[in-house]
Amino acid sequence: MEEPIRNAEQLHFVQNARAFAAASLVLTATYSAHLSIPRRLFSSHVSFPTMATIDLTPPQEPLTWKHTPEEIREKTNQVIRDGRKFLDTIAALSEDKCNFDSVFRALALHDAEFDVITEPLAFYQNVSPDAKLREASNDAEKLLRDFGIESSMRLDVFQALKRAEKNIRSGGVTLAPEEERLMEKMILDGKRAGLDLSETDREELLETKKKLSETCLEFSKNFNEEKGTISFTQDELKGVPEDVISGYTKTTNAGGQPDKYAVTFKTPDIFPIFKFASNPATRQLASEAYENRLTQNVDLLKKAIDLRWDIAKKLGYDTWADYIVEVKMIKSSKNVQQFLDNLVTKMKVLGDKDREALLKLKEEELGDKSDGKFYIWDYRYYDRLFVEKTLELDEAKVKEYFPVDYVVPKILEIYQDLLGVSFVDITKDVGTWHPDVQVFQVWNKDPKSPSDFLGYTYLDLFPRESKYGHAAVWPLISGFNKKDGSRNYPVTAMVANLAKPVEGKRATMRHDDVVTFFHEMGHVFHGLLSNVTFSRFHGTSVARDFVEAPSQMLENWCWEPKVLKKMSQHAQTNEPLSDELIDKLIKSRYVNAGLYFLRQLFFGKFDMELHTKKVDTDYNQLWSEMRESISLVKSGSKYTAGPGTFAHITGGYDAGYYGYMYSLVFSADMYKTVFADNPLSPAAGTKYRNSILKPGGSRDEMDSLKEFLGREPNPDAFLESLEAKQFKAASVPSSL
């Protein structure tokens, strides 16, 4: 029932990489989605009364979502056939014909154009209501992964790259900085892919990579297709808000047995039980069922870990973690371990105090019935109760001030003003994969010509069966310069699971949900406002241990009084949050920060344990024991299949979960230095847009930070916040 910060899964937030230029990322889990459906007006859910009207035609059409399962398979197979032929032409270039344009630029453009076709096809599996489309999309994803691995292992293409590099160096050719970076990265990709190995070793490596890709894809598919429920009576749900219970499916039992309510494992359904159910047995059953919802994934995870160790050894690395972090900001697994261990030591001082305070609350509530232990299913409940008692802050009352139909437009309005952009709702004019989806054009503010167009974004905000179950952003199409010099514009999709209205009542959001939405929209704008030459460097294609820093910084807006005032409106009275409630809410941010961070550090330590040591212990046992040791919460007498729900380490964050905490150092420094005095300053927003968002990964992340801060980054702001217990990040899309 823990939630790692921002998946990806997040899953997170999802990055896909294809063909040769993506060799080092080809093992990343990717996703897919469909259907053009007759639309009901989305405005019945969320309307945008202040949205701009722009009388300009964008230079790029929106995506179409009319694929059939057969078309998905046909297009996928065709683009792969074409891709092989293209790589053959690169490999066949004579040495004198190998230069930057004929090899590096050509490969980069091919990868970008390849993704324009395939990424939408590979998205359907996450969001389409059509099972056949999801299956076709998943099948396509497998083919694309295999082709990516195959392409990354093309020795003949790698040799063409090296011939081109040699000619460029010997000829004294001067490249633009982004071109130089592209060349260096593509050469490094080949080395990391094992193309300096013998033919036999390369063939073995290729097969191992394909097995790993298939294993991670199956893990992801199980996640998306999970449809489990657990049922409780009204009495067992005592304490859970009535508006939540009314959204559960009620089943009537015969023979005088009490009716039961079926609770799915989607966030809006299950998390209120963890936070509000007063019966500890109910919370325990819900917690154990939630962690056991994907038991089949534990064996898949173990298989993936074993395959990664095989790959690392073949490539000459001591561990998989050493292979992964070589291209990160932190550089070595030793540095990761030191970083995590130092933070665990610091946070345990705070965590011990937090646990004792919550345990005291439990003993006061249960009296003689308390066993004096603090369990994982106690954490959320007593954390919420502690806030209510010490701050007299009722989370359910706070939630009433954040109706979905008000908050979502206000957050978009804040971003528009801060970053100098305009959204145009074109939902009624285009088709999507589901009637709930809304589509926007995005322009520079006060656009004068089509050149002010920035891209498209989709919002798919409400839960439904077989849809990705948490919150994440997909960069469907990257921005890049085409061969003729024109621009290909980016397309992003935000997928969330906000509550829907029930029986005429306005749906509302927990404050944590508001922060999560604000965080995810930060990824949307990273994708829209990046402007680079090559798609490889677009938007969030930065070092994985920096990618969360911009959005983590933006979470701070949700704790600023003037912003809270602006984006709150009581669901019935339309009044904004009072100054008193705002003060209490801000103070609640600092409560139990020790336990919060220890939970995140547990995820990071578990990840590194699997990727730096040969683990013989049962994964479920290891999960439980490490959680008790680091997070300071008991798991109970049963080992649960928690590792099977840890989607991050099969979805591109393997040996990388530490990055969430690592990037907090940067995000705290960025916010305090530039935004703290005036969070809504358009001038500061412009600086952020130009220094952080625009360059994407086209230059070293440290260079972007130094330009933005005006100096080298330092940990002072982060450490000050820890010492003051003033940092409890709330962007926690719950993947676990």
Side-chain angles (χ1 to χ4, degrees):
M1 64 185 274
E2 293 112 329
E3 72 261 36
I5 307 172
R6 199 13 279 127
N7 138 25
E9 226 99 332
Q10 106 210 143
L11 270 195
H12 32 101
F13 174 68
V14 183
Q15 286 181 306
N16 293 331
R18 307 288 186 214
F20 186 85
S24 65
L25 293 179
V26 70
L27 306 179
T28 299
T30 48
Y31 302 94
S32 310
H34 167 68
L35 200 67
S36 182
I37 301 176
R39 171 174 301 284
R40 68 174 181 270
L41 290 179
F42 185 92
S43 58
S44 64
H45 299 291
V46 179
S47 61
F48 296 83
T50 62
M51 196 149 287
T53 300
I54 295 173
D55 191 22
L56 290 170
T57 301
Q60 180 173 301
E61 292 291 321
L63 296 174
T64 58
W65 299 94
K66 298 180 180 180
H67 301 94
T68 65
E70 293 74 21
E71 287 172 336
I72 289 176
R73 293 186 172 93
E74 181 181 337
K75 279 181 174 288
T76 301
N77 283 308
Q78 184 61 54
V79 78
I80 289 173
R81 286 193 295 269
D82 292 344
R84 286 197 182 100
K85 291 178 182 177
F86 171 78
L87 294 178
D88 289 343
T89 64
I90 296 294
L93 288 172
S94 60
E95 183 167 354
D96 62 311
K97 298 293 184 182
C98 291
N99 54 50
F100 185 85
D101 287 336
S102 67
V103 179
F104 290 100
R105 191 185 303 278
L107 281 167
L109 279 171
H110 175 264
D111 288 347
E113 292 162 355
F114 186 94
D115 285 354
V116 167
I117 297 170
T118 60
E119 292 298 333
L121 305 180
F123 178 60
Y124 278 117
Q125 64 183 286
N126 299 284
V127 292
S128 175
D130 187 320
K132 291 183 179 179
L133 278 164
R134 294 196 305 274
E135 182 180 359
S137 177
N138 192 271
D139 291 345
E141 180 66 23
K142 181 180 177 182
L143 291 173
L144 292 168
R145 282 167 168 263
D146 285 349
F147 177 65
I149 294 169
E150 171 194 321
S151 302
S152 74
M153 299 297 291
R154 287 281 299 256
L155 179 62
D156 50 359
V157 177
F158 183 52
Q159 289 170 336
L161 284 164
K162 291 200 292 187
R163 290 195 295 269
E165 182 193 32
K166 178 183 175 183
N167 289 341
I168 291 166
R169 299 298 187 209
S170 63
V173 178
T174 301
L175 301 176
E178 189 175 339
E179 293 173 340
E180 181 73 30
R181 187 170 177 83
L182 179 73
M183 181 169 69
E184 292 174 357
K185 293 289 185 183
M186 293 179 87
I187 293 295
L188 180 60
D189 285 343
K191 293 176 179 177
R192 286 171 55 79
L195 296 181
D196 286 330
L197 300 177
S198 68
E199 182 177 357
T200 300
D201 286 342
R202 287 198 310 274
E203 290 175 354
E204 290 178 357
L205 184 62
L206 176 60
E207 288 306 309
T208 307
K209 284 184 174 183
K210 286 184 176 180
K211 289 177 184 177
L212 176 58
S213 174
E214 292 167 3
T215 303
C216 291
L217 185 59
E218 186 177 352
F219 189 106
S220 172
K221 182 180 180 181
N222 290 340
F223 226 97
N224 288 345
E225 297 293 329
E226 185 274 313
K227 300 174 185 176
T229 62
I230 182 172
S231 296
F232 295 104
T233 64
Q234 179 90 35
D235 187 59
E236 289 170 330
L237 292 171
K238 184 179 179 181
V240 177
E242 191 57 42
D243 67 320
V244 174
I245 295 176
S246 66
Y248 296 155
T249 301
K250 187 176 181 180
T251 57
T252 302
N253 292 321
Q257 295 297 314
D259 296 340
K260 287 197 170 187
Y261 295 85
V263 181
T264 75
F265 296 126
K266 302 291 185 184
T267 304
D269 280 359
I270 196 73
F271 271 60
I273 293 179
F274 300 149
K275 299 196 77 164
F276 293 100
S278 57
N279 186 338
T282 299
R283 298 196 307 273
Q284 179 179 356
L285 287 171
S287 173
E288 292 173 349
Y290 187 62
E291 287 207 331
N292 285 324
R293 71 193 189 276
L294 290 163
T295 55
Q296 70 273 38
N297 274 0
V298 178
D299 286 341
L300 291 174
L301 176 60
K302 189 174 190 316
K303 181 179 178 181
I305 298 297
D306 289 343
L307 290 168
R308 286 172 181 160
W309 276 91
D310 289 346
I311 292 169
K313 293 301 182 184
K314 282 186 174 68
L315 292 174
Y317 294 88
D318 290 336
T319 69
W320 180 259
D322 290 314
Y323 167 71
I324 290 295
V325 302
E326 178 185 36
V327 292
K328 304 282 186 70
M329 291 184 74
I330 204 165
K331 300 305 181 189
S332 76
S333 63
K334 181 180 179 182
N335 289 344
V336 175
Q337 296 283 33
Q338 288 177 344
F339 172 76
L340 293 174
D341 289 343
N342 287 340
L343 273 184
V344 168
T345 300
K346 288 179 182 292
M347 298 317 304
K348 276 196 173 181
V349 177
L350 297 176
D352 281 329
K353 294 177 182 177
D354 293 343
R355 181 183 59 177
E356 290 307 309
L358 299 188
L359 190 55
K360 183 180 179 182
L361 257 187
K362 177 180 179 179
E363 291 171 344
E364 288 174 357
E365 183 182 54
L366 298 181
D368 294 340
K369 294 181 180 179
S370 173
D371 62 2
K373 297 178 181 179
F374 193 70
Y375 297 99
I376 183 61
W377 54 85
D378 290 329
Y379 170 71
R380 291 184 178 280
Y381 177 77
Y382 289 106
D383 180 60
R384 189 261 313 168
L385 204 59
F386 184 87
V387 170
E388 290 182 5
K389 286 182 175 292
T390 58
L391 298 176
E392 297 181 345
L393 180 65
D394 186 338
E395 184 177 303
K397 288 185 178 179
V398 172
K399 183 180 175 184
E400 294 172 3
Y401 286 89
F402 294 114
V404 173
D405 59 8
Y406 186 82
V407 172
V408 171
K410 278 298 176 184
I411 288 179
L412 263 65
E413 181 184 319
I414 289 168
Y415 270 112
Q416 288 179 100
D417 293 342
L418 182 70
L419 298 175
V421 300
S422 294
F423 271 55
V424 179
D425 188 349
I426 59 169
T427 304
K428 63 183 176 60
D429 300 321
V430 299
T432 66
W433 55 86
H434 190 273
D436 283 349
V437 180
Q438 195 150 11
V439 194
F440 303 90
Q441 295 171 359
V442 187
W443 298 77
N444 282 317
K445 188 176 182 180
D446 301 324
K448 301 297 188 294
S449 72
S451 64
D452 283 309
F453 181 69
L454 296 170
Y456 294 96
T457 194
Y458 293 80
L459 298 183
D460 186 350
L461 301 181
F462 303 109
R464 58 181 177 269
E465 189 174 281
S466 299
K467 175 187 168 183
Y468 178 77
H470 305 294
V473 173
W474 274 259
L476 293 175
I477 305 294
S478 295
F480 60 92
N481 291 344
K482 299 179 185 177
K483 189 174 184 178
D484 63 4
S486 64
R487 187 77 183 154
N488 190 87
Y489 294 90
V491 180
T492 62
M494 163 126 169
V495 178
N497 285 272
L498 304 179
K500 275 189 172 183
V502 178
E503 297 178 0
K505 293 177 62 176
R506 296 172 79 182
T508 55
M509 304 166 67
R510 296 176 304 134
H511 181 255
D512 281 359
D513 297 328
V514 175
V515 181
T516 297
F517 189 84
F518 212 97
H519 175 110
E520 296 300 334
M521 285 305 300
H523 289 309
V524 167
F525 282 99
H526 206 163
L528 289 170
L529 299 182
S530 176
N531 193 324
V532 296
T533 301
F534 303 109
S535 67
R536 177 185 181 124
F537 301 127
H538 179 80
T540 53
S541 299
V542 296
R544 277 297 182 97
D545 47 6
F546 179 73
V547 70
E548 294 298 329
S551 284
Q552 287 171 335
M553 179 196 72
L554 291 162
E555 292 175 17
N556 287 283
W557 274 247
C558 300
W559 301 96
E560 286 289 344
K562 67 170 69 174
V563 181
L564 286 167
K565 205 72 144 174
K566 184 180 180 71
M567 65 183 182
S568 61
Q569 181 193 74
H570 193 275
Q572 294 179 335
T573 68
N574 291 340
E575 292 295 318
L577 281 165
S578 66
D579 293 341
E580 180 184 8
L581 263 180
I582 287 174
D583 182 62
K584 290 179 178 180
L585 183 61
I586 291 171
K587 287 178 179 176
S588 75
R589 185 186 192 187
Y590 316 143
V591 173
N592 300 323
L595 284 178
Y596 172 84
F597 277 115
L598 286 173
R599 196 165 73 252
Q600 300 307 323
L601 289 165
F602 153 64
F603 294 130
K605 290 286 290 179
F606 183 81
D607 173 24
M608 293 303 290
E609 186 77 8
L610 297 185
H611 292 115
T612 58
K613 300 176 184 176
K614 280 286 191 178
V615 175
D616 295 323
T617 308
D618 174 80
Y619 279 15
N620 295 345
Q621 179 182 346
L622 180 67
W623 176 272
S624 176
E625 291 174 349
M626 288 189 70
R627 179 164 63 187
E628 291 195 8
S629 171
I630 297 168
S631 298
L632 306 180
V633 294
K634 298 287 184 182
S635 298
S637 59
K638 301 176 183 177
Y639 296 137
T640 55
T645 68
F646 198 178
H648 293 70
I649 55 176
T650 60
Y653 279 89
D654 41 296
Y657 196 88
Y658 77 90
Y660 293 124
M661 296 293 293
Y662 188 69
S663 59
L664 284 176
V665 173
F666 304 124
S667 68
D669 197 8
M670 292 162 66
Y671 180 73
K672 182 179 180 182
T673 303
V674 178
F675 284 107
D677 290 340
N678 186 2
L680 296 176
S681 164
T686 299
K687 184 177 183 179
Y688 169 67
R689 176 175 170 175
N690 290 335
S691 296
I692 300 296
L693 301 184
K694 183 179 178 179
S698 65
R699 63 182 179 185
D700 192 88
E701 293 78 13
M702 191 60 70
D703 291 337
S704 294
L705 278 170
K706 287 190 288 189
E707 179 179 293
F708 182 65
L709 297 170
R711 56 167 171 77
E712 294 271 356
N714 65 60
D716 294 351
F718 179 66
L719 294 174
E720 287 170 13
S721 65
L722 287 182
E723 290 166 4
K725 289 191 70 174
Q726 294 181 343
F727 203 98
K728 183 183 179 184
S731 70
V732 281
S734 11
S735 298
L736 291 178

